[in-house]
Amino acid sequence: MLERQNTMRNSIAVRTSTNSNDLGALLARRGADLILAIEDGNALIRCHVSSATAAAMLAPLKGKAAGQFRPLPGNLVEIDAAVALPVAMLMMEAKSAMEKKLN
């Protein structure tokens, strides 16, 4: 278990789920477009956002976002990534800034 925790702390992002229907249903039940869970200095970000917002949110991963997102119908993108807490904060700030810009 300790080895797994160290691996997660040292990695930039890890894909956590492949089933968008489950994530979509979870978001709908909570009436949210983003779920953020924080544990031991790491964060799990799960959301459905526009492609422009997704691009802004994934920018802090500096090209290491492969497997962290997948396109959905209607110009939406599913992000399901485990990241270090500072990166999560950058992703949240990018989401907020892009949504303000789009509105």
Side-chain angles (χ1 to χ4, degrees):
M1 184 74 172
L2 181 60
E3 182 179 329
R4 181 172 174 244
Q5 289 175 344
N6 287 338
T7 301
M8 186 162 170
R9 285 189 182 124
N10 292 332
S11 66
I12 290 180
V14 177
R15 181 154 182 131
T16 58
S17 175
T18 58
N19 190 339
S20 69
N21 291 336
D22 289 347
L23 178 54
L26 180 61
L27 289 165
R29 279 194 306 271
R30 294 180 184 221
D33 68 345
L34 184 137
I35 296 172
L36 174 66
I38 300 171
E39 183 178 329
D40 295 331
N42 295 301
L44 174 62
I45 296 178
R46 305 179 82 189
C47 60
H48 286 178
V49 293
S50 72
S51 59
T53 301
M57 288 179 71
L58 295 170
L61 298 178
K62 299 179 180 169
K64 297 179 182 177
Q68 307 316 304
F69 65 96
R70 62 184 221 125
L72 298 172
N75 197 34
L76 291 176
V77 175
E78 174 183 278
I79 296 177
D80 190 359
V83 296
L85 192 53
V87 174
M89 296 305 294
L90 292 173
M91 291 175 75
M92 299 291 293
E93 289 169 5
K95 178 183 183 297
S96 182
M98 182 56 73
E99 288 176 347
K100 284 180 185 174
K101 185 177 180 179
L102 293 174
N103 290 327

